[in-house]
Amino acid sequence: MKQPWKILLMWLLCISPAMAAPNIILIVADDLDQQLFSRMYADGYLPNIKTHLGDAGTQFSNAFVTEALCCPSRATFFTGQYAHNHGVVDNYKPYGGVTFFNASTALTVWLKNAGYATGMIGKYMNGYGIDPLQPLSNPENPRHIPVAWNFWRGLTSYQMYNYNVTQWDSTSGVTQLKTYSTYQTTKLKEFTVNFINALEAFDAMPFFIHVAPYAPHQEIEISGTGCSNPYWAKIIRPDASYLNSLPQYYTSLPQPPSYNEANVTDKPTFIRNAALLTAQEVGCARLQYQRRAEATRSIDDLVGGIIAALIAKNELANTVLIFTSDNGYFLGEHRLCCKIPGYEEGIRVPLVMRGPGVPVGSIAAPVLSNDLAPTLAAWAQASALVAMDGRSVVPLLANPSTPWRKRFLVEFQSDGQPPVSQFFGVRTASTDAVPSAYFAAWEDAESSIEFYDLATDPYQTTSNPASPHVATMQGYINALKDCGQPLKPTCQQAED
């Protein structure tokens, strides 16, 4: 039972004592693909995520992002919108980045208006804090604090050691620019636990915390690799305690049928122009894979630290925890590195959640990055300030047979990532008239198109542009690519 002074404090904060809104913690890894996550999860190297989230909550076996690139995906998390509606279509100017994101109408404001204390810890949006010469109103200035946050520990550089953090909280109002040498993921855990402890000293209002480690994103270029392409020569440094900590088979790169694909004549122009990976590049990709796995172990430690803090404050039962990633990752599939194209490796992400109202089990319906903001708003009883394209998964958690989307858009509409061309794609669910398929229309010199029946070609190695389903899939793209725009159908209508 709350003490009278706490009830008074809640009244002063305009929070109803009877309000049952849960605490919410959203943990977003950077570039953590479903394949690596699933392997480590099954092999017991993510014990905290498995025990406290997966075994205690719901796993989503078909979770996707709708643009496989950091900043657009993060903007989608905070708006519930496709990139063509929130307008952040790339990581940096002139096509995207933090200056293209409208923080004044984003999720944090909705939650703040609903009575939540809010904390941001880790990576915010690409471009945040990179230019101290910008005016304070510009989020590229490291002293800029976006609206509606109570507690801010925002990364302004992305090294795993000797990185920069902007620190601010609403009680002191003092902005500090700090540099830390502690392993980054470990420091983010410390920040998060400290915020939980500070909030629970008052126990007066629910909280929302967004925790965004940079791991396992590639970090630094290493010399002597023989890889002329810097994408292959970059790795992430794991915590020293996890360096070379995994069994020997982690030094062997998984090579599915799409790996270093021999025949790419059915692919878009920029892939057809890509050479086969050299032996040196395969070696670099192998090292990337190993270091990514080792760095992900610290993310599991971060989750464990959060769980321990919630248990110590008797808040675990009233807290929703969500773990996901901003996009998948390529390490040689279709001769690709990194992200953006809409193949399965790039758009599939881990998604697991636990908390009040979240049953133990799994859901196979396609759940999108677009769905997180509507879901969080539903739990928080918060009113959105934008028209959301996604849908709350709360009804789906209550009844997995709830009617759900049949298809969704995958998009990339920027000239800022050469040689990758712009494209629109559509991925269908098993319930669609064209079940379990992927179609992409590329805006390259040849207007390349791809069609894959994922039931028979799950690795997308053989496109069939002559399929009788192409016309239907193109019609889906025509409806989806500007859904949610004025005088156009809503995105939920286009997905159904």
CSV table of all heavy atoms in Angstrom, one decimal, residues 46 55 68 141 149 182 187-188 192 213-214 253 263 329-330 344 427 434 437:
chain,number,residue,atom,x,y,z
A,46,LEU,N,22.7,-16.8,-24.4
A,46,LEU,CA,21.9,-15.6,-24.1
A,46,LEU,C,20.9,-16.0,-22.9
A,46,LEU,O,19.7,-16.0,-23.0
A,46,LEU,CB,21.0,-15.1,-25.3
A,46,LEU,CG,21.8,-14.7,-26.5
A,46,LEU,CD1,20.9,-14.4,-27.6
A,46,LEU,CD2,22.8,-13.6,-26.2
A,55,ASP,N,11.4,-17.5,-22.1
A,55,ASP,CA,10.7,-18.5,-21.3
A,55,ASP,C,9.6,-18.0,-20.5
A,55,ASP,O,8.6,-18.7,-20.1
A,55,ASP,CB,11.7,-19.3,-20.4
A,55,ASP,CG,12.7,-20.1,-21.1
A,55,ASP,OD1,12.5,-20.3,-22.4
A,55,ASP,OD2,13.7,-20.6,-20.5
A,68,ALA,N,15.4,-1.7,-43.7
A,68,ALA,CA,16.5,-2.3,-43.0
A,68,ALA,C,17.7,-1.4,-42.9
A,68,ALA,O,18.8,-1.7,-43.5
A,68,ALA,CB,16.9,-3.7,-43.7
A,141,ASN,N,23.7,19.1,-32.3
A,141,ASN,CA,24.5,19.7,-31.2
A,141,ASN,C,24.5,18.7,-30.1
A,141,ASN,O,23.4,18.3,-29.6
A,141,ASN,CB,23.9,21.0,-30.8
A,141,ASN,CG,24.8,21.8,-29.8
A,141,ASN,OD1,25.2,21.2,-28.8
A,141,ASN,ND2,25.0,23.1,-30.0
A,149,TRP,N,12.0,13.9,-22.6
A,149,TRP,CA,12.8,13.0,-21.8
A,149,TRP,C,13.1,13.5,-20.4
A,149,TRP,O,13.5,14.7,-20.3
A,149,TRP,CB,14.1,12.7,-22.6
A,149,TRP,CG,13.9,12.0,-23.9
A,149,TRP,CD1,13.9,12.5,-25.1
A,149,TRP,CD2,13.7,10.6,-24.1
A,149,TRP,NE1,13.7,11.6,-26.1
A,149,TRP,CE2,13.5,10.4,-25.5
A,149,TRP,CE3,13.6,9.5,-23.2
A,149,TRP,CZ2,13.3,9.1,-26.0
A,149,TRP,CZ3,13.4,8.2,-23.8
A,149,TRP,CH2,13.2,8.1,-25.2
A,182,THR,N,35.0,2.6,-19.8
A,182,THR,CA,34.3,1.4,-19.5
A,182,THR,C,33.7,0.8,-20.8
A,182,THR,O,33.1,1.6,-21.6
A,182,THR,CB,33.2,1.6,-18.4
A,182,THR,OG1,33.9,2.1,-17.3
A,182,THR,CG2,32.6,0.2,-18.1
A,187,LYS,N,28.5,0.0,-19.5
A,187,LYS,CA,28.2,1.4,-18.9
A,187,LYS,C,26.7,1.7,-19.1
A,187,LYS,O,26.1,2.2,-18.2
A,187,LYS,CB,29.0,2.4,-19.6
A,187,LYS,CG,29.0,3.8,-18.9
A,187,LYS,CD,29.6,3.7,-17.5
A,187,LYS,CE,29.5,5.1,-16.8
A,187,LYS,NZ,30.1,5.0,-15.5
A,188,LEU,N,26.1,1.3,-20.3
A,188,LEU,CA,24.7,1.5,-20.5
A,188,LEU,C,23.9,0.7,-19.5
A,188,LEU,O,22.8,1.2,-19.0
A,188,LEU,CB,24.3,1.1,-21.9
A,188,LEU,CG,25.0,1.9,-23.0
A,188,LEU,CD1,24.5,1.5,-24.4
A,188,LEU,CD2,24.9,3.4,-22.8
A,192,THR,N,21.2,2.4,-16.9
A,192,THR,CA,19.8,1.9,-16.8
A,192,THR,C,19.4,1.5,-15.4
A,192,THR,O,18.4,1.9,-14.9
A,192,THR,CB,19.6,0.7,-17.7
A,192,THR,OG1,20.1,1.1,-19.1
A,192,THR,CG2,18.1,0.4,-17.8
A,213,PRO,N,22.0,-0.2,-27.0
A,213,PRO,CA,23.4,-0.5,-27.1
A,213,PRO,C,23.8,-0.4,-28.6
A,213,PRO,O,23.0,-0.7,-29.5
A,213,PRO,CB,23.6,-1.9,-26.5
A,213,PRO,CG,22.3,-2.5,-26.7
A,213,PRO,CD,21.2,-1.4,-26.6
A,214,TYR,N,25.1,0.0,-28.9
A,214,TYR,CA,25.6,0.0,-30.2
A,214,TYR,C,25.9,-1.4,-30.7
A,214,TYR,O,25.9,-1.6,-31.9
A,214,TYR,CB,26.8,0.9,-30.3
A,214,TYR,CG,27.4,1.1,-31.7
A,214,TYR,CD1,26.6,1.8,-32.6
A,214,TYR,CD2,28.6,0.7,-32.0
A,214,TYR,CE1,27.1,2.1,-33.9
A,214,TYR,CE2,29.1,0.9,-33.3
A,214,TYR,CZ,28.4,1.6,-34.2
A,214,TYR,OH,28.8,1.8,-35.5
A,253,LEU,N,32.0,-19.4,-40.4
A,253,LEU,CA,30.9,-18.6,-40.8
A,253,LEU,C,29.8,-19.5,-41.4
A,253,LEU,O,30.1,-20.3,-42.3
A,253,LEU,CB,31.4,-17.6,-41.8
A,253,LEU,CG,30.4,-16.6,-42.4
A,253,LEU,CD1,30.0,-15.6,-41.3
A,253,LEU,CD2,31.0,-15.8,-43.6
A,263,ASN,N,25.5,-17.5,-58.9
A,263,ASN,CA,24.8,-16.9,-60.1
A,263,ASN,C,23.8,-15.8,-59.6
A,263,ASN,O,22.8,-16.1,-59.0
A,263,ASN,CB,24.0,-18.0,-60.8
A,263,ASN,CG,23.3,-17.5,-62.1
A,263,ASN,OD1,23.3,-16.3,-62.4
A,263,ASN,ND2,22.8,-18.5,-62.8
A,329,TYR,N,21.1,-8.4,-40.9
A,329,TYR,CA,22.5,-8.2,-41.3
A,329,TYR,C,22.9,-9.2,-42.4
A,329,TYR,O,22.5,-10.4,-42.3
A,329,TYR,CB,23.4,-8.3,-40.1
A,329,TYR,CG,24.7,-7.5,-40.3
A,329,TYR,CD1,24.7,-6.1,-40.3
A,329,TYR,CD2,25.9,-8.2,-40.5
A,329,TYR,CE1,25.9,-5.4,-40.4
A,329,TYR,CE2,27.1,-7.5,-40.6
A,329,TYR,CZ,27.1,-6.1,-40.6
A,329,TYR,OH,28.2,-5.4,-40.8
A,330,PHE,N,23.6,-8.8,-43.3
A,330,PHE,CA,24.2,-9.7,-44.3
A,330,PHE,C,25.7,-9.8,-44.1
A,330,PHE,O,26.4,-8.8,-43.8
A,330,PHE,CB,24.1,-9.1,-45.8
A,330,PHE,CG,22.6,-8.9,-46.2
A,330,PHE,CD1,22.0,-7.7,-46.1
A,330,PHE,CD2,21.9,-10.0,-46.7
A,330,PHE,CE1,20.7,-7.5,-46.5
A,330,PHE,CE2,20.6,-9.8,-47.2
A,330,PHE,CZ,20.0,-8.5,-47.0
A,344,GLU,N,15.4,-11.8,-46.8
A,344,GLU,CA,15.1,-12.2,-45.5
A,344,GLU,C,16.2,-11.9,-44.4
A,344,GLU,O,15.9,-11.5,-43.3
A,344,GLU,CB,14.8,-13.7,-45.5
A,344,GLU,CG,13.5,-14.2,-46.2
A,344,GLU,CD,12.3,-13.8,-45.5
A,344,GLU,OE1,11.9,-14.4,-44.6
A,344,GLU,OE2,11.6,-12.8,-46.0
A,427,ARG,N,6.4,-8.2,-49.0
A,427,ARG,CA,6.5,-9.5,-48.4
A,427,ARG,C,5.1,-9.9,-47.9
A,427,ARG,O,4.4,-9.2,-47.2
A,427,ARG,CB,7.5,-9.4,-47.2
A,427,ARG,CG,7.6,-10.7,-46.3
A,427,ARG,CD,8.1,-11.9,-47.0
A,427,ARG,NE,8.7,-12.9,-46.1
A,427,ARG,CZ,8.1,-13.8,-45.4
A,427,ARG,NH1,6.8,-13.9,-45.5
A,427,ARG,NH2,8.8,-14.7,-44.7
A,434,VAL,N,-1.3,-14.6,-52.4
A,434,VAL,CA,0.0,-15.1,-52.9
A,434,VAL,C,0.8,-15.4,-51.7
A,434,VAL,O,1.5,-14.5,-51.2
A,434,VAL,CB,0.7,-14.1,-53.8
A,434,VAL,CG1,2.0,-14.6,-54.4
A,434,VAL,CG2,-0.2,-13.6,-54.9
A,437,ALA,N,5.6,-15.0,-50.0
A,437,ALA,CA,6.4,-14.6,-51.2
A,437,ALA,C,7.0,-13.2,-51.0
A,437,ALA,O,6.6,-12.5,-50.1
A,437,ALA,CB,5.5,-14.5,-52.5
